[in-house]
Amino acid sequence: MKNSMTLCADDEPAFNRIVDALNSCFGKSYLGYQRSTLKLNDSEMVWFPQISCLTKDGYRSAGEHGWINYTEDEWNHICEENHTVNGIKFKHDNYRNRYVFAKNTDGKYIFRGIYQFDAQNSTAQKRVYKRIATIVDLPLRY
């Protein structure tokens, strides 16, 4: 039985479904999983953001949820904004490092690296995450 898996963001490893990434990379045995995050432990989580499309009027949410996730610098940072009608500030767990598998236009989840919350460049309505690693050796036991 394999005890670890190495992922390299430059290789753009792809998974068809969220559950495939969780089972293959983190040793889970889920039959299904449809949430955009999974807390692994007190310091780590997995995030599956849908990256928003850039239009002539700016970024457009990838779904009906009002979230806008985007990157403008070759995946070195991911910005996350909430554009709800009522303007409620969103609450997130900003202190866990995030293994990011971003959904591409083909619907696949591509490993982009490990990201850390960037408090200095974030605001109440916009969270910024900076990439801290592009290669990771996962122990498959969380």
Side-chain angles (χ1 to χ4, degrees):
M1 180 198 243
K2 197 173 177 181
N3 292 333
S4 67
M5 171 185 267
T6 301
L7 293 177
C8 176
D10 292 339
D11 296 339
E12 296 189 341
F15 300 87
N16 290 323
R17 302 174 303 158
I18 290 172
V19 70
D20 296 333
L22 293 174
N23 291 347
S24 297
C25 301
F26 300 97
K28 303 298 181 185
S29 57
Y30 295 133
L31 297 177
Y33 194 89
Q34 294 185 350
R35 295 184 180 179
S36 64
T37 61
L38 174 72
K39 293 178 183 177
L40 296 172
N41 54 47
D42 288 341
S43 62
E44 299 174 309
M45 66 189 298
V46 187
W47 184 28
F48 298 93
Q50 290 185 5
I51 301 303
S52 299
C53 299
L54 180 60
T55 67
K56 64 180 180 175
D57 298 322
Y59 286 100
R60 180 177 49 86
S61 178
E64 299 298 322
H65 43 65
W67 290 103
I68 295 178
N69 303 305
Y70 59 92
T71 183
E72 296 176 332
D73 61 0
E74 300 294 321
W75 295 101
N76 289 315
H77 294 84
I78 297 175
C79 299
E80 174 185 45
E81 297 180 24
N82 186 295
H83 290 244
T84 58
V85 176
N86 58 14
I88 295 174
K89 292 180 184 176
F90 57 98
K91 179 183 174 192
H92 261 298
D93 184 344
N94 297 321
Y95 303 103
R96 285 185 171 89
N97 287 341
R98 297 173 175 219
Y99 295 89
V100 173
F101 295 81
K103 189 173 184 178
N104 71 2
T105 56
D106 295 333
K108 295 192 184 282
Y109 295 90
I110 311 294
F111 177 69
R112 298 297 180 184
I114 300 175
Y115 290 76
Q116 183 177 66
F117 179 62
D118 182 351
Q120 183 177 356
N121 291 308
S122 295
T123 66
Q125 294 298 321
K126 176 182 174 182
R127 302 289 193 254
V128 178
Y129 300 89
K130 62 183 173 185
R131 187 160 56 180
I132 58 172
T134 58
I135 299 173
V136 62
D137 188 32
L138 300 168
L140 295 183
R141 304 233 188 251
Y142 276 87

